[in-house]
Amino acid sequence: MSTVPVGDQGIPVEVMLRQAGLRRRRGELVALQLQAQQRNWERIFDTIVRVDGPLAKDIAEITGLGGSTVTGVLQRMEEKNLITREPVASDGSKRVGRSARVRVVAGRHYLAGVEIRRDGLTGLIVDLRGEPVGEPRELALAPVRGPMDVDLLVDGVRDLVDELTLSLRALRDDAQAPLLGLGVELGGHIDGRSGEVVCSPDLQWGEHWAIPRVPLRRLLRAATRLHTVVDNDANALGTAQRWFGAARNEDSFLMVLVTRDGVGACEFRDGQPHRGATGKAGELGHVVAVPGGEPCRCGNRGCVEAVATMSAIVKAADAKDLAEARTRAADRDAGARKAFVDAGTALGRGLASMITCIDPAKIIFTGDAVTASESDAQRLVLYSDDYHEAMLRAVDEYTVFSGPPPGSFLLIQDREHWNGPRGAATMVIRDVIAGAVDVGATAER
Ligand SMILES: [Zn+2]
Protein backbone atom coordinates (compact mmCIF):
# COMPACT_ATOMS: atom_id res chain seq x y z
CA MET A 1 0.00 0.00 0.00
CA SER A 2 1.31 3.42 -1.00
CA THR A 3 2.19 5.79 1.84
CA VAL A 4 2.83 8.78 -0.45
CA PRO A 5 -0.04 11.33 -0.16
CA VAL A 6 -1.53 11.97 -3.59
CA GLY A 7 -3.35 15.13 -4.79
CA ASP A 8 -6.53 15.37 -6.93
CA GLN A 9 -4.72 14.77 -10.22
CA GLY A 10 -2.85 11.76 -8.96
CA ILE A 11 0.36 13.74 -8.54
CA PRO A 12 2.17 13.18 -5.22
CA VAL A 13 1.59 16.18 -2.90
CA GLU A 14 5.31 16.57 -2.38
CA VAL A 15 5.81 17.02 -6.15
CA MET A 16 2.88 19.45 -6.35
CA LEU A 17 4.35 21.54 -3.56
CA ARG A 18 7.74 21.57 -5.25
CA GLN A 19 6.14 22.67 -8.53
CA ALA A 20 4.13 25.38 -6.76
CA GLY A 21 7.32 26.58 -5.06
CA LEU A 22 9.10 26.75 -8.42
CA ARG A 23 6.19 28.64 -9.98
CA ARG A 24 6.17 31.11 -7.07
CA ARG A 25 9.92 31.64 -7.31
CA ARG A 26 9.63 32.10 -11.08
CA GLY A 27 6.82 34.61 -10.48
CA GLU A 28 8.93 36.46 -7.95
CA LEU A 29 11.83 36.53 -10.38
CA VAL A 30 9.64 37.94 -13.17
CA ALA A 31 8.31 40.61 -10.78
CA LEU A 32 11.86 41.57 -9.76
CA GLN A 33 12.98 41.72 -13.39
CA LEU A 34 10.01 43.94 -14.21
CA GLN A 35 10.84 46.22 -11.29
CA ALA A 36 14.46 46.54 -12.42
CA GLN A 37 13.29 47.26 -15.96
CA GLN A 38 10.92 50.01 -14.79
CA ARG A 39 13.69 51.48 -12.67
CA ASN A 40 16.01 51.58 -15.72
CA TRP A 41 13.34 53.33 -17.78
CA GLU A 42 12.82 55.88 -15.00
CA ARG A 43 16.52 56.55 -14.58
CA ILE A 44 17.01 56.99 -18.31
CA PHE A 45 13.98 59.25 -18.73
CA ASP A 46 14.92 61.24 -15.63
CA THR A 47 18.36 61.86 -17.15
CA ILE A 48 16.91 62.95 -20.49
CA VAL A 49 14.65 65.48 -18.73
CA ARG A 50 17.38 66.88 -16.49
CA VAL A 51 20.23 67.00 -19.02
CA ASP A 52 19.59 69.05 -22.13
CA GLY A 53 19.83 66.70 -25.12
CA PRO A 54 22.22 64.02 -23.85
CA LEU A 55 23.81 61.48 -26.18
CA ALA A 56 23.20 57.79 -25.47
CA LYS A 57 26.71 57.48 -24.10
CA ASP A 58 26.08 60.41 -21.69
CA ILE A 59 22.97 58.61 -20.44
CA ALA A 60 24.95 55.40 -19.94
CA GLU A 61 27.62 57.32 -18.04
CA ILE A 62 25.17 59.20 -15.80
CA THR A 63 22.95 56.21 -15.02
CA GLY A 64 25.76 53.66 -14.85
CA LEU A 65 23.73 51.36 -17.14
CA GLY A 66 25.29 49.38 -19.98
CA GLY A 67 25.32 50.88 -23.47
CA SER A 68 23.12 48.15 -24.96
CA THR A 69 20.53 48.51 -22.18
CA VAL A 70 20.35 52.26 -22.82
CA THR A 71 20.08 51.80 -26.59
CA GLY A 72 17.33 49.19 -26.19
CA VAL A 73 15.29 51.38 -23.83
CA LEU A 74 15.73 54.45 -26.05
CA GLN A 75 14.42 52.49 -29.00
CA ARG A 76 11.32 51.40 -27.08
CA MET A 77 10.75 54.96 -25.81
CA GLU A 78 10.99 56.28 -29.36
CA GLU A 79 8.44 53.71 -30.54
CA LYS A 80 6.08 54.98 -27.86
CA ASN A 81 6.63 58.58 -29.00
CA LEU A 82 8.04 59.57 -25.63
CA ILE A 83 11.40 60.75 -26.99
CA THR A 84 13.00 61.89 -30.23
CA ARG A 85 16.57 61.46 -31.36
CA GLU A 86 18.09 64.32 -33.30
CA PRO A 87 21.21 63.44 -35.28
CA VAL A 88 24.16 65.63 -34.43
CA ALA A 89 25.99 64.84 -37.70
CA SER A 90 26.72 68.07 -39.58
CA ASP A 91 26.12 66.42 -42.97
CA GLY A 92 22.42 66.47 -42.14
CA SER A 93 22.11 62.72 -42.44
CA LYS A 94 19.19 61.23 -40.59
CA ARG A 95 21.28 58.37 -39.31
CA VAL A 96 20.23 57.71 -35.75
CA GLY A 97 23.10 56.26 -33.87
CA ARG A 98 25.39 57.04 -31.04
CA SER A 99 25.68 60.68 -32.06
CA ALA A 100 22.02 61.64 -31.63
CA ARG A 101 20.77 64.05 -29.00
CA VAL A 102 17.92 62.51 -27.06
CA ARG A 103 15.02 64.79 -26.15
CA VAL A 104 11.62 64.24 -24.59
CA VAL A 105 8.75 64.80 -27.04
CA ALA A 106 7.25 68.13 -26.06
CA GLY A 107 3.99 68.86 -27.87
CA ARG A 108 2.21 65.54 -27.87
CA HIS A 109 1.31 64.36 -24.39
CA TYR A 110 -0.05 66.48 -21.55
CA LEU A 111 -0.67 65.99 -17.84
CA ALA A 112 -2.63 67.91 -15.25
CA GLY A 113 -1.40 68.64 -11.75
CA VAL A 114 -3.57 69.91 -8.90
CA GLU A 115 -2.59 71.17 -5.45
CA ILE A 116 -5.31 70.77 -2.82
CA ARG A 117 -5.50 73.22 0.06
CA ARG A 118 -8.39 73.86 2.41
CA ASP A 119 -9.03 77.27 0.87
CA GLY A 120 -8.69 76.28 -2.76
CA LEU A 121 -7.10 74.40 -5.61
CA THR A 122 -4.30 75.35 -7.99
CA GLY A 123 -4.06 73.49 -11.28
CA LEU A 124 -1.53 73.42 -14.07
CA ILE A 125 -0.99 71.57 -17.34
CA VAL A 126 2.52 70.36 -18.09
CA ASP A 127 4.03 68.54 -21.02
CA LEU A 128 6.02 65.34 -20.83
CA ARG A 129 9.15 67.32 -19.87
CA GLY A 130 7.27 68.80 -16.91
CA GLU A 131 7.23 72.22 -18.58
CA PRO A 132 4.11 74.31 -17.85
CA VAL A 133 1.72 74.75 -20.78
CA GLY A 134 -0.33 77.93 -20.23
CA GLU A 135 -0.95 79.62 -16.90
CA PRO A 136 -1.87 77.96 -13.60
CA ARG A 137 -5.54 78.21 -12.66
CA GLU A 138 -7.11 78.70 -9.27
CA LEU A 139 -10.41 77.48 -7.92
CA ALA A 140 -11.52 78.82 -4.55
CA LEU A 141 -13.30 76.43 -2.19
CA ALA A 142 -16.11 77.78 -0.02
CA PRO A 143 -14.99 78.05 3.62
CA VAL A 144 -16.30 75.16 5.71
CA ARG A 145 -16.21 74.52 9.41
CA GLY A 146 -14.94 71.10 10.38
CA PRO A 147 -14.02 68.39 7.90
CA MET A 148 -13.94 69.20 4.17
CA ASP A 149 -16.84 67.66 2.28
CA VAL A 150 -15.40 64.83 0.15
CA ASP A 151 -17.90 65.22 -2.74
CA LEU A 152 -17.41 68.99 -2.81
CA LEU A 153 -13.67 68.55 -3.12
CA VAL A 154 -13.92 65.88 -5.83
CA ASP A 155 -16.34 68.10 -7.80
CA GLY A 156 -13.93 71.03 -7.41
CA VAL A 157 -11.00 69.04 -8.79
CA ARG A 158 -13.14 67.75 -11.67
CA ASP A 159 -14.28 71.31 -12.56
CA LEU A 160 -10.70 72.58 -12.46
CA VAL A 161 -9.47 69.71 -14.66
CA ASP A 162 -12.30 70.45 -17.14
CA GLU A 163 -11.25 74.09 -17.21
CA LEU A 164 -7.60 73.13 -17.73
CA THR A 165 -8.56 70.75 -20.55
CA LEU A 166 -10.53 73.47 -22.33
CA SER A 167 -7.67 75.92 -21.96
CA LEU A 168 -5.23 73.34 -23.32
CA ARG A 169 -7.44 72.67 -26.34
CA ALA A 170 -7.78 76.40 -27.02
CA LEU A 171 -4.05 76.95 -26.60
CA ARG A 172 -3.08 74.10 -28.92
CA ASP A 173 -5.98 74.83 -31.27
CA ASP A 174 -6.67 71.13 -31.07
CA ALA A 175 -10.05 69.69 -30.13
CA GLN A 176 -8.42 66.43 -29.05
CA ALA A 177 -5.27 67.52 -27.13
CA PRO A 178 -5.89 64.82 -24.56
CA LEU A 179 -4.55 64.55 -21.05
CA LEU A 180 -2.63 61.42 -20.15
CA GLY A 181 -3.38 61.74 -16.48
CA LEU A 182 -3.93 63.74 -13.34
CA GLY A 183 -1.55 64.18 -10.40
CA VAL A 184 -2.93 65.50 -7.12
CA GLU A 185 -1.03 66.54 -4.04
CA LEU A 186 -2.07 67.51 -0.54
CA GLY A 187 -0.60 67.64 2.93
CA GLY A 188 -0.83 64.74 5.35
CA HIS A 189 -0.44 60.99 5.45
CA ILE A 190 -1.19 59.77 1.95
CA ASP A 191 -0.85 56.13 0.98
CA GLY A 192 0.62 56.68 -2.49
CA ARG A 193 0.15 53.02 -3.40
CA SER A 194 -3.60 52.94 -2.81
CA GLY A 195 -4.14 56.66 -3.40
CA GLU A 196 -6.00 56.92 -0.08
CA VAL A 197 -5.80 59.87 2.27
CA VAL A 198 -5.13 58.28 5.65
CA CYS A 199 -4.97 61.57 7.51
CA SER A 200 -5.05 65.20 6.38
CA PRO A 201 -5.06 67.71 9.25
CA ASP A 202 -5.69 70.50 6.72
CA LEU A 203 -8.89 68.94 5.34
CA GLN A 204 -9.69 67.33 8.70
CA TRP A 205 -9.85 63.86 7.23
CA GLY A 206 -8.65 60.85 9.19
CA GLU A 207 -9.57 58.69 12.15
CA HIS A 208 -9.39 61.68 14.49
CA TRP A 209 -12.37 63.25 12.64
CA ALA A 210 -14.12 59.91 12.02
CA ILE A 211 -13.32 60.12 8.28
CA PRO A 212 -10.77 57.32 7.96
CA ARG A 213 -9.05 56.57 4.66
CA VAL A 214 -10.67 58.63 1.92
CA PRO A 215 -10.15 56.73 -1.39
CA LEU A 216 -9.34 59.98 -3.19
CA ARG A 217 -7.62 58.41 -6.18
CA ARG A 218 -10.54 56.11 -6.91
CA LEU A 219 -13.05 58.95 -6.56
CA LEU A 220 -11.03 61.28 -8.81
CA ARG A 221 -10.51 58.56 -11.40
CA ALA A 222 -14.25 58.01 -11.54
CA ALA A 223 -14.95 61.75 -11.72
CA THR A 224 -12.35 62.66 -14.36
CA ARG A 225 -11.90 59.33 -16.18
CA LEU A 226 -8.15 60.02 -16.06
CA HIS A 227 -5.28 57.94 -14.76
CA THR A 228 -4.79 59.56 -11.34
CA VAL A 229 -1.96 59.73 -8.85
CA VAL A 230 -2.48 61.07 -5.32
CA ASP A 231 0.54 61.91 -3.21
CA ASN A 232 1.86 63.97 -0.33
CA ASP A 233 2.63 67.67 -0.96
CA ALA A 234 6.28 67.50 0.13
CA ASN A 235 6.82 64.52 -2.20
CA ALA A 236 5.36 66.51 -5.11
CA LEU A 237 7.34 69.66 -4.28
CA GLY A 238 10.54 67.65 -4.00
CA THR A 239 9.84 65.98 -7.33
CA ALA A 240 9.45 69.45 -8.91
CA GLN A 241 12.79 70.52 -7.43
CA ARG A 242 14.47 67.32 -8.55
CA TRP A 243 13.25 67.69 -12.15
CA PHE A 244 13.34 71.42 -12.72
CA GLY A 245 14.73 73.13 -9.67
CA ALA A 246 17.46 73.41 -7.11
CA ALA A 247 17.83 69.63 -6.71
CA ARG A 248 18.41 68.89 -10.41
CA ASN A 249 21.84 67.52 -9.65
CA GLU A 250 21.10 66.05 -6.23
CA ASP A 251 20.30 62.40 -5.64
CA SER A 252 20.04 62.82 -1.88
CA PHE A 253 18.21 65.79 -0.45
CA LEU A 254 15.54 66.73 2.05
CA MET A 255 12.55 68.76 0.94
CA VAL A 256 10.96 70.75 3.77
CA LEU A 257 7.63 72.49 3.38
CA VAL A 258 6.76 75.12 5.98
CA THR A 259 3.32 76.67 5.53
CA ARG A 260 1.22 78.90 7.79
CA ASP A 261 0.26 75.99 10.04
CA GLY A 262 1.95 72.93 8.66
CA VAL A 263 5.38 71.38 8.31
CA GLY A 264 6.00 68.52 5.89
CA ALA A 265 9.15 66.89 4.61
CA CYS A 266 10.27 64.32 2.13
CA GLU A 267 13.60 62.60 1.83
CA PHE A 268 14.84 61.87 -1.67
CA ARG A 269 17.10 58.83 -2.01
CA ASP A 270 18.73 58.06 -5.35
CA GLY A 271 16.51 60.77 -6.82
CA GLN A 272 13.31 59.07 -5.62
CA PRO A 273 10.95 60.16 -2.84
CA HIS A 274 11.18 57.78 0.10
CA ARG A 275 7.63 57.06 1.25
CA GLY A 276 8.08 54.38 3.88
CA ALA A 277 5.88 51.33 4.37
CA THR A 278 2.55 53.17 4.53
CA GLY A 279 3.38 56.58 3.06
CA LYS A 280 4.07 58.58 6.20
CA ALA A 281 7.87 58.73 6.03
CA GLY A 282 9.26 62.22 6.60
CA GLU A 283 6.41 63.53 8.75
CA LEU A 284 8.69 66.13 10.31
CA GLY A 285 5.66 68.21 11.29
CA HIS A 286 4.56 65.53 13.75
CA VAL A 287 7.89 64.83 15.38
CA VAL A 288 7.46 65.91 19.01
CA ALA A 289 9.65 68.95 19.71
CA VAL A 290 8.12 70.06 23.02
CA PRO A 291 6.68 67.13 25.02
CA GLY A 292 3.27 68.10 26.41
CA GLY A 293 3.36 71.34 24.40
CA GLU A 294 0.61 72.99 22.37
CA PRO A 295 -2.08 70.63 21.01
CA CYS A 296 -1.44 69.62 17.40
CA ARG A 297 -3.98 69.23 14.59
CA CYS A 298 -3.09 65.51 14.52
CA GLY A 299 -4.39 65.03 18.07
CA ASN A 300 -0.96 64.79 19.70
CA ARG A 301 0.78 67.58 21.67
CA GLY A 302 3.98 69.55 21.08
CA CYS A 303 4.52 68.41 17.48
CA VAL A 304 6.90 70.55 15.39
CA GLU A 305 4.04 72.03 13.37
CA ALA A 306 2.10 72.92 16.51
CA VAL A 307 4.96 74.83 18.12
CA ALA A 308 6.99 76.08 15.13
CA THR A 309 4.41 77.64 12.80
CA MET A 310 2.37 80.81 12.55
CA SER A 311 -0.40 80.11 15.08
CA ALA A 312 2.12 79.20 17.79
CA ILE A 313 4.18 82.35 17.10
CA VAL A 314 1.12 84.63 17.08
CA LYS A 315 -0.21 83.10 20.30
CA ALA A 316 3.13 83.26 22.13
CA ALA A 317 3.73 86.84 20.99
CA ASP A 318 0.18 87.77 22.04
CA ALA A 319 -0.24 89.46 18.66
CA LYS A 320 -3.30 89.69 16.40
CA ASP A 321 -1.46 88.23 13.41
CA LEU A 322 1.97 87.29 12.08
CA ALA A 323 2.58 90.74 10.54
CA GLU A 324 2.06 92.40 13.94
CA ALA A 325 4.34 89.87 15.62
CA ARG A 326 7.02 90.54 12.99
CA THR A 327 6.74 94.32 13.35
CA ARG A 328 6.96 94.11 17.12
CA ALA A 329 9.96 91.76 16.93
CA ALA A 330 11.66 94.16 14.49
CA ASP A 331 10.99 96.95 17.08
CA ARG A 332 12.90 94.80 19.59
CA ASP A 333 9.85 93.77 21.63
CA ALA A 334 11.36 91.03 23.86
CA GLY A 335 8.16 88.91 24.03
CA ALA A 336 7.69 88.90 20.25
CA ARG A 337 11.34 88.10 19.61
CA LYS A 338 11.21 85.20 22.08
CA ALA A 339 8.14 83.82 20.31
CA PHE A 340 10.06 83.66 17.00
CA VAL A 341 13.22 82.28 18.65
CA ASP A 342 11.32 79.53 20.52
CA ALA A 343 9.43 78.50 17.39
CA GLY A 344 12.57 78.53 15.23
CA THR A 345 14.42 76.49 17.83
CA ALA A 346 11.63 73.87 17.82
CA LEU A 347 11.82 73.46 14.04
CA GLY A 348 15.63 73.28 14.25
CA ARG A 349 15.44 70.49 16.84
CA GLY A 350 13.08 68.43 14.73
CA LEU A 351 15.21 69.03 11.64
CA ALA A 352 18.41 68.10 13.45
CA SER A 353 16.93 64.68 14.27
CA MET A 354 16.04 64.14 10.64
CA ILE A 355 19.41 65.37 9.37
CA THR A 356 21.19 63.07 11.83
CA CYS A 357 19.14 60.11 10.60
CA ILE A 358 19.34 60.64 6.84
CA ASP A 359 22.39 62.88 6.22
CA PRO A 360 21.08 64.74 3.14
CA ALA A 361 23.35 66.68 0.74
CA LYS A 362 20.88 69.58 0.59
CA ILE A 363 17.93 70.81 2.60
CA ILE A 364 15.46 72.72 0.45
CA PHE A 365 12.73 74.82 2.09
CA THR A 366 9.59 76.10 0.46
CA GLY A 367 6.10 77.17 1.52
CA ASP A 368 4.35 80.32 2.74
CA ALA A 369 6.82 80.73 5.61
CA VAL A 370 9.63 81.56 3.15
CA THR A 371 9.88 85.34 3.14
CA ALA A 372 12.36 88.21 2.67
CA SER A 373 14.66 88.97 5.59
CA GLU A 374 13.97 92.18 7.54
CA SER A 375 17.63 93.19 7.38
CA ASP A 376 18.33 92.27 3.76
CA ALA A 377 15.43 92.16 1.29
CA GLN A 378 17.52 90.03 -1.11
CA ARG A 379 17.90 87.23 1.42
CA LEU A 380 15.18 84.66 2.08
CA VAL A 381 14.40 83.41 5.59
CA LEU A 382 11.72 81.32 7.30
CA TYR A 383 9.18 83.64 9.02
CA SER A 384 11.75 86.21 10.29
CA ASP A 385 15.46 86.77 10.90
CA ASP A 386 15.08 85.77 14.57
CA TYR A 387 13.19 82.59 13.68
CA HIS A 388 15.58 81.61 10.92
CA GLU A 389 18.74 82.16 12.93
CA ALA A 390 17.31 80.25 15.91
CA MET A 391 16.44 77.37 13.57
CA LEU A 392 19.97 77.28 12.12
CA ARG A 393 21.51 77.47 15.61
CA ALA A 394 19.40 74.55 16.83
CA VAL A 395 20.27 72.46 13.76
CA ASP A 396 23.96 73.09 14.43
CA GLU A 397 23.64 72.36 18.12
CA TYR A 398 21.57 69.16 17.89
CA THR A 399 22.87 67.49 14.72
CA VAL A 400 25.36 64.83 15.76
CA PHE A 401 29.12 65.32 15.04
CA SER A 402 28.71 68.44 12.91
CA GLY A 403 25.89 70.42 11.32
CA PRO A 404 25.17 70.35 7.59
CA PRO A 405 27.94 71.91 5.44
CA PRO A 406 27.66 75.58 4.45
CA GLY A 407 25.52 76.14 1.38
CA SER A 408 23.40 73.06 1.96
CA PHE A 409 20.34 75.09 3.04
CA LEU A 410 18.32 76.52 0.14
CA LEU A 411 15.10 78.51 0.31
CA ILE A 412 12.64 78.68 -2.58
CA GLN A 413 9.77 81.16 -2.77
CA ASP A 414 6.69 79.77 -4.48
CA ARG A 415 3.98 82.31 -3.77
CA GLU A 416 1.79 81.25 -6.68
CA HIS A 417 2.03 77.58 -5.67
CA TRP A 418 3.28 76.56 -9.15
CA ASN A 419 5.61 73.91 -7.94
CA GLY A 420 3.00 71.83 -6.13
CA PRO A 421 0.85 71.10 -9.20
CA ARG A 422 3.95 70.83 -11.36
CA GLY A 423 5.42 68.19 -9.08
CA ALA A 424 2.06 66.39 -8.84
CA ALA A 425 1.83 66.20 -12.64
CA THR A 426 5.40 64.91 -12.76
CA MET A 427 4.35 61.99 -10.55
CA VAL A 428 2.07 60.93 -13.43
CA ILE A 429 5.00 61.15 -15.86
CA ARG A 430 6.69 58.55 -13.67
CA ASP A 431 3.66 56.29 -14.19
CA VAL A 432 3.79 56.90 -17.95
CA ILE A 433 7.42 55.82 -17.97
CA ALA A 434 6.71 52.84 -15.73
CA GLY A 435 4.15 51.71 -18.33
CA ALA A 436 1.14 52.22 -16.04
CA VAL A 437 -0.47 54.60 -18.55
CA ASP A 438 -1.08 53.41 -22.08
CA VAL A 439 0.14 56.36 -24.14
CA GLY A 440 -1.58 54.96 -27.22
CA ALA A 441 -4.97 54.76 -25.58
CA THR A 442 -5.45 58.06 -23.83
CA ALA A 443 -8.86 58.44 -22.21
CA GLU A 444 -11.19 60.44 -24.42
CA ARG A 445 -12.63 63.46 -22.72
ZN1 LIG B 1 1.03 66.50 15.18
Side-chain angles (χ1 to χ4, degrees):
M1 191 189 282
S2 169
T3 55
V4 180
V6 173
D8 289 347
Q9 291 153 348
I11 303 168
V13 168
E14 195 190 323
V15 175
M16 282 174 70
L17 285 173
R18 204 162 46 229
Q19 284 175 344
L22 277 173
R23 270 200 302 278
R24 197 187 61 239
R25 276 202 292 281
R26 223 173 285 138
E28 282 166 2
L29 194 67
V30 169
L32 281 174
Q33 281 169 339
L34 197 68
Q35 245 175 37
Q37 214 176 61
Q38 283 178 356
R39 184 84 186 95
N40 290 350
W41 275 60
E42 249 183 56
R43 283 164 71 190
I44 291 172
F45 194 82
D46 190 79
T47 308
I48 303 169
V49 171
R50 289 184 303 118
V51 182
D52 184 34
L55 305 175
K57 72 172 169 53
D58 301 330
I59 299 172
E61 202 179 304
I62 294 169
T63 56
L65 294 169
S68 58
T69 305
V70 171
T71 311
V73 172
L74 290 180
Q75 203 164 343
R76 297 277 315 284
M77 284 185 176
E78 200 172 20
E79 285 162 13
K80 287 184 158 214
N81 282 314
L82 300 175
I83 59 157
T84 57
R85 286 190 276 182
E86 301 162 9
V88 184
S90 52
D91 61 4
S93 70
K94 289 284 175 197
R95 189 174 59 87
V96 174
R98 291 172 183 279
S99 61
R101 295 213 174 274
V102 184
R103 291 206 161 84
V104 175
V105 169
R108 195 179 178 107
H109 306 293
Y110 302 97
L111 309 112
V114 173
E115 174 178 285
I116 296 176
R117 302 178 310 278
R118 191 176 178 78
D119 61 345
L121 312 170
T122 306
L124 182 70
I125 299 273
V126 305
D127 65 18
L128 212 47
R129 300 166 307 170
E131 288 296 324
V133 178
E135 295 293 311
R137 286 178 182 251
E138 301 278 341
L139 191 143
L141 293 171
V144 281
R145 292 174 72 89
M148 168 70 67
D149 185 85
V150 177
D151 292 337
L152 199 80
L153 185 84
V154 169
D155 288 351
V157 175
R158 190 201 53 218
D159 290 350
L160 185 61
V161 171
D162 282 345
E163 207 184 301
L164 287 166
T165 309
L166 288 176
S167 75
L168 173 69
R169 287 175 179 172
L171 201 69
R172 312 302 297 182
D173 196 17
D174 178 355
Q176 296 301 315
L179 289 176
L180 281 185
L182 164 68
V184 167
E185 58 97 334
L186 69 162
H189 177 185
I190 318 295
D191 184 339
R193 271 174 280 262
S194 66
E196 292 173 321
V197 180
V198 183
C199 178
S200 163
D202 187 35
L203 302 180
Q204 298 190 5
W205 291 354
E207 262 176 25
H208 187 66
W209 299 275
I211 308 182
R213 298 191 85 93
V214 176
L216 192 58
R217 184 173 72 193
R218 185 170 59 73
L219 296 171
L220 288 175
R221 266 188 191 175
T224 63
R225 290 195 289 143
L226 287 170
H227 176 89
T228 304
V229 173
V230 177
D231 215 323
N232 169 273
D233 51 0
N235 295 5
L237 287 159
T239 301
Q241 292 307 321
R242 161 78 176 158
W243 275 43
F244 340 100
R248 245 181 139 95
N249 297 315
E250 302 297 340
D251 281 339
S252 147
F253 68 97
L254 180 64
M255 185 75 219
V256 181
L257 170 66
V258 186
T259 63
R260 294 151 60 91
D261 355 77
V263 175
C266 178
E267 177 203 0
F268 276 69
R269 289 182 190 172
D270 299 326
Q272 301 281 330
H274 173 65
R275 294 185 170 81
T278 65
K280 66 176 175 187
E283 276 295 351
L284 171 62
H286 303 284
V287 166
V288 175
V290 180
E294 288 293 310
C296 179
R297 299 185 297 177
C298 73
N300 215 337
R301 296 188 84 95
C303 295
V304 165
E305 73 171 37
V307 295
T309 55
M310 188 185 69
S311 353
I313 298 168
V314 170
K315 188 175 172 195
D318 197 16
K320 78 173 188 308
D321 56 23
L322 191 71
E324 188 197 308
R326 246 174 86 108
T327 309
R328 282 191 11 220
D331 290 343
R332 313 217 143 257
D333 174 310
R337 292 195 70 179
K338 185 174 182 305
F340 280 101
V341 169
D342 288 351
T345 304
L347 177 64
R349 278 186 192 152
L351 257 178
S353 304
M354 251 187 127
I355 293 169
T356 298
C357 292
I358 67 176
D359 189 21
K362 282 215 161 48
I363 298 113
I364 303 175
F365 295 88
T366 192
D368 304 315
V370 177
T371 183
S373 144
E374 301 101 304
S375 56
D376 173 5
Q378 300 300 311
R379 197 166 66 92
L380 293 175
V381 293
L382 289 178
Y383 285 121
S384 76
D385 288 6
D386 284 330
Y387 181 102
H388 197 77
E389 276 150 30
M391 182 269 289
L392 292 176
R393 269 199 309 275
V395 167
D396 254 346
E397 189 177 342
Y398 295 104
T399 304
V400 76
F401 304 132
S402 59
S408 51
F409 278 60
L410 292 171
L411 282 84
I412 313 267
Q413 218 165 8
D414 180 26
R415 287 208 178 283
E416 278 79 40
H417 296 274
W418 270 62
N419 280 321
R422 205 176 174 194
T426 307
M427 304 265 185
V428 190
I429 301 179
R430 286 192 192 282
D431 275 11
V432 172
I433 302 311
V437 183
D438 186 354
V439 286
T442 307
E444 284 296 323
R445 287 175 52 73

